[in-house]
Amino acid sequence: MSKILNVVILYDNEAEVYDYAVQLSKQEIHDQLALIIVVNKTNKSKFRLMSDKLSNLDMFIEIHTPDKNLGYLNGLIYGYEHYIKRNEKPKFVIMSNTDIEFADNTFIKKLIMTNYDENVWCVAPSVYSPTKKSYDNPQYKTRYTKSSLDKRIFIFNNPYLGYPYVKLSQYKARFKRANKQDSCYVYSAHGCFFIIKPELADILISRPYKGLMYSEEAYIAELIRESDKRCFYDANIEVLHLESTVTSKLAFRKKSKFIAESLEIVRDEFF
């Protein structure tokens, strides 16, 4: 039985996915780890090369190709759903980007050996951004308010407001570097790398996310809150977020539209 299942999305980033798999294969007790790759977009020749190289790694790896682009969160859940059809449910499900490096090779071992409270349905690791020289978790300690969501929706529905808003946020982040915080309960985990219980993954199967991308963190946080469970930020396990995500290729107008739509989904369903 694999105690940890890691599901990732492949979207025209075959080399990055392979490099991430290599890192996992170097983790201590990686024999208790399974990697599922869900293909949203790929190049046939690059995919064939990646698949051949992955077959040489000493770990459980499966690749699934849906008949369409399911988006980020629904693609990850697709991978989980297919895995549990033929395997026992894992202790934890890691849903992550592949622009990630591990701080050390004991990440998986620490995760398996830590006894979290049974009410914890999501674990947020420490996330360090080398680009910003700053820590990105905890993402939010307190819940959104409806007015704060309305404000963000208004801004991102107007690209001429959204662009300077994002640039200002990036500027502030560059000069107001967040230090590493002590472990604590939080509202939401950064979406680049989060760890959930199978019970939550099962809910996500029955209640698929209505958005293609963005605001997945808030959707997960609200499902946890609705189930009277909690999200815990654990400073003892750490990853590095290199921020080379495929979303950076999107034109800002399209990106802004996706963000506004995703926030509307969260607001309309939970607030």
Side-chain angles (χ1 to χ4, degrees):
M1 170 189 170
S2 297
K3 292 187 177 179
I4 306 295
L5 172 65
N6 193 167
V7 191
V8 300
I9 298 295
L10 189 156
Y11 190 95
D12 259 350
N13 60 336
E14 292 82 1
E16 185 179 271
V17 168
Y18 173 72
D19 289 343
Y20 181 73
V22 170
Q23 287 190 74
L24 290 180
S25 71
K26 293 178 180 178
Q27 283 284 311
E28 290 185 21
I29 61 175
H30 65 268
D31 58 322
Q32 299 188 48
L33 170 69
L35 174 64
I36 301 295
I37 300 167
V38 178
V39 179
N40 276 353
K41 184 181 179 184
T42 189
N43 172 282
K44 287 184 178 180
S45 60
K46 290 180 180 179
F47 178 80
R48 196 179 306 114
L49 177 62
M50 179 199 70
S51 300
D52 290 343
K53 291 167 67 177
L54 286 173
S55 65
N56 294 320
L57 298 181
D58 180 26
M59 62 178 294
F60 182 103
I61 300 176
E62 283 186 352
I63 302 175
H64 294 284
T65 306
D67 57 8
K68 63 177 181 178
N69 181 354
L70 298 173
Y72 182 65
L73 183 55
N74 289 334
L76 295 172
I77 289 300
Y78 177 94
Y80 165 77
E81 187 175 9
H82 277 260
Y83 176 82
I84 62 172
K85 285 179 180 178
R86 292 184 292 170
N87 302 276
E88 290 184 37
K89 290 183 180 181
K91 179 179 180 180
F92 283 113
V93 184
I94 297 173
M95 298 189 170
S96 70
N97 290 7
T98 49
D99 57 342
I100 295 289
E101 287 185 358
F102 293 93
D104 57 60
N105 288 337
T106 64
F107 184 96
I108 298 299
K109 183 178 180 180
K110 288 176 183 175
L111 180 60
I112 290 174
M113 296 184 69
T114 302
N115 292 315
Y116 297 101
D117 187 282
E118 63 179 13
N119 284 328
V120 171
W121 271 15
C122 180
V123 177
S126 170
V127 175
Y128 180 71
S129 169
T131 304
K132 296 183 292 188
K133 295 182 173 59
S134 180
Y135 285 88
D136 290 333
N137 260 339
Q139 190 202 36
Y140 290 112
K141 286 188 174 181
T142 57
R143 189 188 187 212
Y144 284 117
T145 62
K146 185 175 182 297
S147 60
S148 68
L149 285 174
D150 288 337
K151 175 185 174 182
R152 287 177 171 85
I153 290 166
F154 176 78
I155 289 171
F156 286 107
N157 268 326
N158 296 270
Y160 295 109
L161 295 176
Y163 186 79
Y165 178 84
V166 169
K167 287 300 178 183
L168 179 60
S169 297
Q170 292 173 342
Y171 181 82
K172 288 167 63 178
R174 190 179 304 161
F175 290 96
K176 188 180 179 181
R177 295 170 182 168
N179 296 320
K180 188 170 184 175
Q181 299 188 36
D182 294 333
S183 300
C184 60
Y185 287 103
V186 298
Y187 169 67
S188 65
H190 195 288
C192 72
F193 195 105
F194 55 95
I195 306 157
I196 65 175
K197 286 278 192 71
E199 292 89 339
L200 178 54
D202 291 340
I203 292 175
L204 286 164
I205 291 174
S206 61
R207 291 178 63 177
Y209 187 47
K210 295 173 184 175
L212 187 66
M213 60 178 69
Y214 300 114
S215 304
E216 297 92 350
E217 302 100 332
Y219 187 74
I220 289 168
E222 286 301 319
L223 291 179
I224 292 170
R225 181 178 178 276
E226 193 175 73
S227 301
D228 200 26
K229 303 299 179 183
R230 307 189 79 178
C231 180
F232 182 72
Y233 157 67
D234 187 352
N236 297 311
I237 53 176
E238 183 167 311
V239 298
L240 282 67
H241 184 204
L242 306 183
E243 300 184 271
S244 59
T245 58
V246 294
T247 57
S248 62
K249 301 173 185 177
L250 283 177
F252 185 80
R253 183 177 292 274
K254 194 170 185 179
K255 182 176 180 178
S256 184
K257 178 175 179 287
F258 281 145
I259 293 173
E261 289 175 350
S262 69
L263 291 170
E264 287 173 353
I265 289 166
V266 172
R267 180 196 60 190
D268 295 347
E269 189 157 347
F270 297 105
F271 288 80

